[in-house]
């Protein structure tokens, strides 16, 4: 196994991969597998692990944060307010649907009445 360093020009980060060579019997060629190990810190030159096991946490856990109860309270209030607004919108749309159904029924009745009159004239 070997460590391979690849520089990404787009973001300016050097990534480190672990390369493993193996022989592919079907193609009769040697191949390699690469696995991302981490990226190199430009200041210290150390490898910073990435991936599920080694990635450093960007956001500390909510329990470790001081005042996290306030954040949850604000979030709860915001969700409650949005929920109330959506409930009002649903009620308004249901009223509009009911009014539209009533209007449709009136038009349907009028069309049946007119078609009945036309049938009686023939």
């Amino acid at each position: 196994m070997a460590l391979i360093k690849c520089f990404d020009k787009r973001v300016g980060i050097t990534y480190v991969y672990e390369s493993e060579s193996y022989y592919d019997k079907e193609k009769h060629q040697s191949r390699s597998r690469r696995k991302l190990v981490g990226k190199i810190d430009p200041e210290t030159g150390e490898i910073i692990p990435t991936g599920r096991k080694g990635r450093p946490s960007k956001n500390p856990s909510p329990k470790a944060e001081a005042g996290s109860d306030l954040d949850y309270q604000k979030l709860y209030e915001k969700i409650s307010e949005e929920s109330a607004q959506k409930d009002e919108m649903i009620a308004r749309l249901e009223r509009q649907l009911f009014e539209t159904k009533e209007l449709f029924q009136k038009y349907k009745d009028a069309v049946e009445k007119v078609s009945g009159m036309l049938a009686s004239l023939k």
Side-chain angles (χ1 to χ4, degrees):
M1 292 211 195
L3 292 179
I4 308 292
K5 297 177 184 177
C6 293
F7 182 72
D8 188 349
K9 294 178 187 176
R10 296 173 295 172
V11 291
I13 297 174
T14 303
Y15 292 97
V16 179
Y17 295 90
E18 187 177 79
S19 178
E20 174 189 3
S21 298
Y22 67 98
Y23 186 75
D24 188 349
K25 293 179 183 177
E26 292 178 12
K27 296 185 179 181
H28 302 287
Q29 295 177 347
S30 62
R31 299 284 180 177
S32 64
R33 291 185 191 102
R34 285 187 178 182
K35 183 177 178 183
L36 180 63
V37 176
K39 59 185 179 180
I40 294 182
D41 184 6
E43 296 173 5
T44 62
E46 294 179 356
I47 297 175
I48 301 171
T50 58
R52 289 186 198 148
K53 296 179 182 176
R55 180 178 296 152
S57 176
K58 289 183 180 179
N59 298 326
S61 66
K63 292 181 181 177
E65 255 182 60
S68 63
D69 289 340
L70 291 175
D71 294 337
Y72 286 127
Q73 183 65 28
K74 288 179 185 177
L75 181 63
Y76 177 78
E77 290 171 2
K78 181 179 177 183
I79 291 172
S80 297
E81 182 180 319
E82 289 176 359
S83 176
Q85 290 174 353
K86 288 179 182 176
D87 289 343
E88 290 173 13
M89 182 182 283
I90 289 170
R92 183 174 43 85
L93 291 171
E94 285 175 341
R95 282 192 303 271
Q96 287 179 350
L97 178 63
F98 179 75
E99 292 168 1
T100 304
K101 284 182 178 179
E102 283 183 336
L103 188 60
F104 176 75
Q105 187 62 42
K106 286 180 185 178
Y107 285 134
K108 185 178 173 184
D109 293 341
V111 168
E112 288 175 359
K113 187 176 181 181
V114 169
S115 57
M117 294 170 128
L118 289 175
S120 65
L121 291 176
K122 291 183 183 180

